[in-house]
Amino acid sequence: MAGMIKPISNVYDQLRRLPGLGSKTALRLAYHVIDMDTADVERLAATLIAAKQQIHLCSRCFNFTDKDLCEVCADTQRDQGLICVVEEPQDVLAMERTRGYKGVYHVLHGVLSPLDGVGPHDLKIKELLQRLQQGGIREVILATNSDVEGEATATYLLQLLEPLHVIVSRIAHGLPVGGDLEYADEVTLAKALENRRRLSE
Amino acid sequence: MAGMIKPISNVYDQLRRLPGLGSKTALRLAYHVIDMDTADVERLAATLIAAKQQIHLCSRCFNFTDKDLCEVCADTQRDQGLICVVEEPQDVLAMERTRGYKGVYHVLHGVLSPLDGVGPHDLKIKELLQRLQQGGIREVILATNSDVEGEATATYLLQLLEPLHVIVSRIAHGLPVGGDLEYADEVTLAKALENRRRLSE
């Protein structure tokens, strides 16, 4: 940006690439970083790197974790026969905030989106089918978002799952259509979970 | 935050402390960091630290710089007899974006705010008076914000500067009252500069 010296514009350029940060916010943050104590900047930088280094995917459900199994999969109190399929790890967090769900998860890491070149092989769909083939799964709740890609992904999964003799349900609408699961309030989300519709016969 | 594993909640906690980042944005960014390439996270972290290490205050005007004098003070094409007094380094950037100002700056690094315990000694006011005593200054433009503290600081500076036989002017209103200089658009700011009122007789 014109008139900005290099070390600050470097920070600005890096921040601008993050999602949801407009140019004004990125600018304000870049200048704030210069005003921070050196120790605080170093702590922020170290925290970012530590998180990136320590976090990987749960070997069962593909949620973020710093262990082999995530906290939900490792919890023997959770109903391992009930799987909620979500698009992204942050959707697990949104579901957990309802405090009403006692099953486990499966994180797809995306949705089917032919326009963006995202097909079934780019998502953790094969891994979901493998979990079902290992047995013990009673019901799969499809909790992809209610936008076009989310609905198409749910429909696609229904076709794959129905022959496997498992109950397939869809999280209830009640969420604002076109909205992101991540931004729903807890009450709406808890309600939507409670009213899930069974899709398979 | 409940349900979030430690390395991610560490990132979230650090981001939440930054100004202008709400909890939803901080959460989205924390998860985005995990999704980024390791190299990109390391580059972001290194850029933050580098900026903090390389940036200090210009020995003349107290703008941010990575040299002894900032780019504006070092520019022999600029009118060194015309000083624009601003609250923060980001206000210099806003002024520079107008491309209409050919003088130099003096950054106070705050405003008088008795409620927050900020008095004249906490700002670069003594240093402004020293610049004037060295001579060669024709006019001082007070461009503090138009909120209560900004106006009070301008009034205080006028009282100090008037006896020094220098023209003291105030940036023209036309900026939204109560608004931040940093967020003004270039045209409004250029107009406000052009219409500055002389305060001293």
Side-chain angles (χ1 to χ4, degrees):
Chain A
M1 188 180 271
M4 210 192 293
I5 55 173
K6 196 71 187 155
I8 301 182
S9 72
N10 286 345
V11 174
Y12 172 79
D13 291 341
Q14 294 273 326
L15 293 176
R16 275 294 275 132
R17 297 170 57 190
L18 299 175
L21 286 195
S23 60
K24 295 279 185 190
T25 307
L27 187 60
R28 171 163 279 226
L29 285 178
Y31 274 90
H32 178 77
V33 167
I34 311 300
D35 270 339
M36 285 167 69
D37 290 339
T38 300
D40 286 338
V41 176
E42 286 170 352
R43 193 174 308 123
L44 171 60
T47 305
L48 294 174
I49 290 176
K52 182 63 199 168
Q53 286 173 339
Q54 292 166 22
I55 302 288
H56 49 259
L57 302 183
C58 170
S59 62
R60 190 179 294 166
C61 78
F62 302 96
N63 187 15
F64 287 147
T65 183
D66 52 357
K67 307 199 178 61
D68 175 44
L69 285 182
C70 75
E71 287 180 0
V72 176
C73 285
D75 185 347
T76 54
Q77 302 291 307
R78 306 284 297 228
D79 180 354
Q80 302 282 341
L82 179 63
I83 295 182
C84 180
V85 177
V86 296
E87 295 179 11
E88 301 291 351
Q90 43 272 59
D91 297 331
V92 171
L93 197 64
M95 292 294 292
E96 287 297 287
R97 280 199 298 260
T98 70
R99 296 171 191 277
Y101 181 65
K102 297 301 175 204
V104 294
Y105 296 95
H106 191 86
V107 183
L108 295 175
H109 287 273
V111 269
L112 295 177
S113 178
L115 287 177
D116 299 322
V118 181
H121 294 292
D122 301 309
L123 307 178
K124 302 293 183 188
I125 292 178
K126 185 174 84 249
E127 292 81 354
L128 175 62
L129 296 178
Q130 284 166 354
R131 285 178 77 178
L132 287 164
Q133 279 152 8
Q134 285 164 14
I137 310 297
R138 197 172 65 252
E139 178 175 353
V140 175
I141 306 172
L142 303 176
T144 51
N145 288 325
S146 62
D147 52 12
V148 177
E149 288 89 357
E151 289 292 350
T153 306
T155 304
Y156 178 83
L157 288 175
L158 173 62
Q159 291 169 346
L160 286 181
L161 298 175
E162 235 181 347
L164 302 179
H165 304 294
V166 65
I167 298 173
V168 181
S169 57
R170 179 85 171 104
I171 196 167
H173 286 87
L175 300 171
V177 172
D180 247 24
L181 197 78
E182 184 184 348
Y183 291 124
D185 66 273
E186 293 91 312
V187 180
T188 308
L189 201 50
K191 194 75 186 167
L193 194 62
E194 185 191 323
N195 292 340
R196 65 184 184 265
R197 298 173 287 122
R198 182 169 169 169
L199 296 183
S200 59
E201 275 108 50
Chain B
M1 187 180 271
M4 211 192 293
I5 55 173
K6 198 70 186 155
I8 301 182
S9 72
N10 285 344
V11 174
Y12 172 78
D13 292 341
Q14 294 272 326
L15 293 176
R16 275 294 276 132
R17 297 170 58 190
L18 300 175
L21 285 195
S23 60
K24 294 279 186 190
T25 307
L27 187 61
R28 172 163 277 228
L29 285 177
Y31 273 90
H32 179 75
V33 167
I34 310 299
D35 271 338
M36 285 166 70
D37 290 339
T38 300
D40 286 338
V41 176
E42 286 170 353
R43 192 175 308 122
L44 171 61
T47 306
L48 295 173
I49 290 175
K52 182 63 198 170
Q53 285 173 339
Q54 291 166 21
I55 302 288
H56 48 258
L57 302 183
C58 170
S59 62
R60 190 180 292 165
C61 79
F62 303 96
N63 187 14
F64 287 146
T65 183
D66 51 357
K67 308 200 178 61
D68 175 43
L69 286 182
C70 75
E71 287 181 1
V72 176
C73 286
D75 185 348
T76 54
Q77 303 292 307
R78 306 286 295 227
D79 180 354
Q80 302 282 340
L82 178 63
I83 295 182
C84 179
V85 177
V86 295
E87 296 180 10
E88 301 291 351
Q90 43 271 59
D91 296 332
V92 171
L93 197 64
M95 292 294 291
E96 287 297 289
R97 280 199 297 260
T98 72
R99 297 173 189 276
Y101 181 65
K102 297 301 175 201
V104 293
Y105 296 95
H106 190 87
V107 183
L108 295 175
H109 286 271
V111 269
L112 295 176
S113 177
L115 288 178
D116 298 322
V118 180
H121 295 291
D122 301 308
L123 307 178
K124 303 293 183 188
I125 292 178
K126 185 173 85 253
E127 292 82 354
L128 174 63
L129 296 178
Q130 284 166 355
R131 285 178 76 178
L132 287 165
Q133 279 153 9
Q134 285 163 12
I137 311 298
R138 198 172 66 254
E139 178 176 351
V140 175
I141 306 171
L142 303 176
T144 51
N145 288 326
S146 62
D147 53 13
V148 177
E149 288 88 357
E151 289 292 350
T153 306
T155 305
Y156 178 83
L157 288 174
L158 174 63
Q159 291 170 346
L160 287 180
L161 297 175
E162 235 180 348
L164 301 179
H165 305 295
V166 64
I167 297 173
V168 181
S169 57
R170 178 86 171 103
I171 196 166
H173 286 86
L175 298 171
V177 172
D180 248 23
L181 197 77
E182 185 185 347
Y183 291 123
D185 66 273
E186 293 90 313
V187 180
T188 309
L189 201 50
K191 194 76 188 167
L193 192 64
E194 184 191 324
N195 291 340
R196 64 185 185 266
R197 299 172 287 122
R198 181 167 167 170
L199 297 182
S200 58
E201 274 106 49

